[in-house]
Amino acid sequence: MIAGYVKLYRSERLEQRVAEALGRLKKCRLCPRNCGVDRLSGETGFCGSGRRAVVSSYNAHFGEEAPLVGEHGSGTIFFAGCNLGCTFCQNYDISRDADFGLEADPEELAGVMLELQKQGCHNINFVTPSHVVPQILEALPIAAAHGLSIPLVYNTSGYDALKTLRLLDGVIDIYMPDVKIWEPAHAATLLGAGDYPERARLAVREMHRQVGDLQLDHQDRALRGLLVRHLVMPDGIAGSDQWMEFIADLSRETFVNIMDQYRPCGEVEATGLADRMITREEYDSARKAARSNGLQRFEVRSDRFFARILR
């Protein structure tokens, strides 16, 4: 299967997407924050990012979902800054400091992608990409011209604008949103975005429209499609029951990773919510909700980490 962006590059349509995306930096409304700042001139909004993307790190990652990792790892590129304000962020230093790393021009970002492919990674995994979509698109023609051909993964919080996602139609091969919190009041307190639940539902539907259910090759490696993450939180704050119903309504063939590794991080304790780790019963309840809604494709992991955090 030829990656979508390679087809666009060969047809010379990828450059059109680049021009349109860069134009949107002039009065930035790339995400639902709609800050309206001139990032082309170096102004910054909520995410803290200006004209260039900042890469905090990149590596062959073996802790991602099995269909992404394969034998040689997922080629993750972590971007500094974030358009969401999760008080419990496990990468708090990176997400809150848009300068936590090295600023990359298009050639440098393309070089990172090519280096990860050279290492044998099965995909390029953009982590927290919502605020740097133009910069990613700007680097892709350079990378494609030098032989980049592996699938692209859009690893996002789900707080994405539909207009920006449509720029990625035919570019991104695998969407991996993390659907976080269902209730607007909890989202306002814990994410700094009361509109998150609605925005995330719209975004995930658009992602599924573009790429459909997750497709695997003969070695069970991801080629194209949607993979949804959901972090179980204490006291039902994440709205696991509602999210599982929503995902099943989208497609019962959706590949889901129900994650058990929540722990209080960042500034969450100041909110008075989600200030403890989850129990085994809470995690099992989320899994039960998924199955009762007809979902059948799950990331399978050992319970050893879960058992360890409960000791």
Side-chain angles (χ1 to χ4, degrees):
M1 180 181 291
I2 300 175
Y5 64 92
V6 175
K7 296 178 183 178
L8 285 176
Y9 170 73
R10 290 174 179 173
S11 67
E12 300 183 353
R13 289 181 291 164
L14 187 54
E15 292 287 1
Q16 297 172 10
R17 302 284 183 92
V18 174
E20 184 176 352
L22 290 175
R24 294 186 188 182
L25 288 175
K26 180 66 177 176
K27 193 174 183 180
C28 189
R29 287 187 168 80
L30 287 175
C31 83
R33 297 286 178 189
N34 291 320
C35 294
V37 298
D38 184 1
R39 290 175 59 186
L40 289 176
S41 298
E43 294 180 6
T44 58
F46 184 93
C47 69
S49 295
R51 172 63 180 88
R52 299 293 186 206
V54 173
V55 175
S56 63
S57 66
Y58 66 93
N59 63 293
H61 195 358
F62 292 87
E64 300 286 70
E65 285 73 1
L68 300 181
V69 170
E71 183 181 357
H72 301 293
S74 177
T76 51
I77 302 175
F78 290 85
F79 292 105
C82 185
N83 69 323
L84 199 55
C86 300
T87 57
F88 51 86
C89 182
Q90 295 181 2
N91 293 318
Y92 198 83
D93 291 343
I94 298 172
S95 66
R96 289 298 191 276
D97 184 356
D99 296 319
F100 193 97
L102 296 175
E103 189 174 87
D105 63 26
E107 291 77 14
E108 289 167 329
L109 185 52
V112 169
M113 299 180 206
L114 291 165
E115 172 60 26
L116 291 168
Q117 178 174 265
K118 184 179 179 181
Q119 291 178 22
C121 295
H122 303 293
N123 46 71
I124 300 298
N125 186 342
F126 300 118
V127 183
T128 319
S130 304
H131 58 301
V132 289
V133 167
Q135 291 85 345
I136 291 170
L137 286 171
E138 189 178 22
L140 273 178
I142 302 169
H146 288 82
L148 188 72
S149 61
I150 55 179
L152 302 181
V153 182
Y154 190 84
N155 184 343
T156 174
S157 69
Y159 198 47
D160 291 282
L162 292 182
K163 286 186 177 180
T164 301
L165 290 176
R166 287 167 185 154
L167 282 175
L168 298 172
D169 193 356
V171 175
I172 296 297
D173 302 287
I174 301 163
Y175 280 104
M176 188 163 63
D178 181 0
V179 294
K180 294 179 181 291
I181 292 178
W182 186 267
E183 292 294 335
H186 288 328
T189 300
L190 293 171
L191 309 180
D195 62 341
Y196 173 85
E198 179 183 3
R199 296 286 191 171
R201 289 193 293 270
L202 290 171
V204 173
R205 287 194 181 279
E206 172 61 17
M207 294 172 191
H208 187 263
R209 182 196 69 78
Q210 290 184 21
V211 297
D213 296 326
L214 191 66
Q215 302 174 41
L216 308 177
D217 66 13
H218 67 285
Q219 294 180 304
D220 290 333
R221 294 180 303 204
L223 295 173
R224 177 179 171 84
L226 177 70
L227 191 164
V228 178
R229 287 174 164 175
H230 175 69
L231 180 65
V232 181
M233 297 179 68
D235 302 313
I237 286 172
S240 299
D241 290 358
Q242 294 93 330
W243 278 118
M244 293 307 114
E245 182 178 357
F246 167 79
I247 294 168
D249 180 67
L250 191 68
S251 170
R252 291 186 178 183
E253 293 299 314
T254 304
F255 192 104
V256 184
N257 182 8
I258 301 175
M259 301 184 292
D260 64 11
Q261 63 261 43
Y262 178 81
R263 64 183 189 276
C265 294
E267 300 174 341
V268 71
E269 292 186 359
T271 69
L273 296 170
D275 56 358
R276 63 170 174 82
M277 292 185 240
I278 65 169
T279 64
R280 181 178 295 277
E281 289 74 21
E282 286 170 326
Y283 179 71
D284 289 344
S285 176
R287 294 274 298 186
K288 182 178 179 180
R291 293 194 179 281
S292 66
N293 280 287
L295 294 169
Q296 302 176 32
R297 302 177 72 192
F298 300 103
E299 171 74 355
V300 178
R301 290 181 182 260
S302 168
D303 277 342
R304 280 178 288 183
F305 173 79
F306 187 80
R308 184 167 67 250
I309 66 173
L310 289 180
R311 288 199 186 105

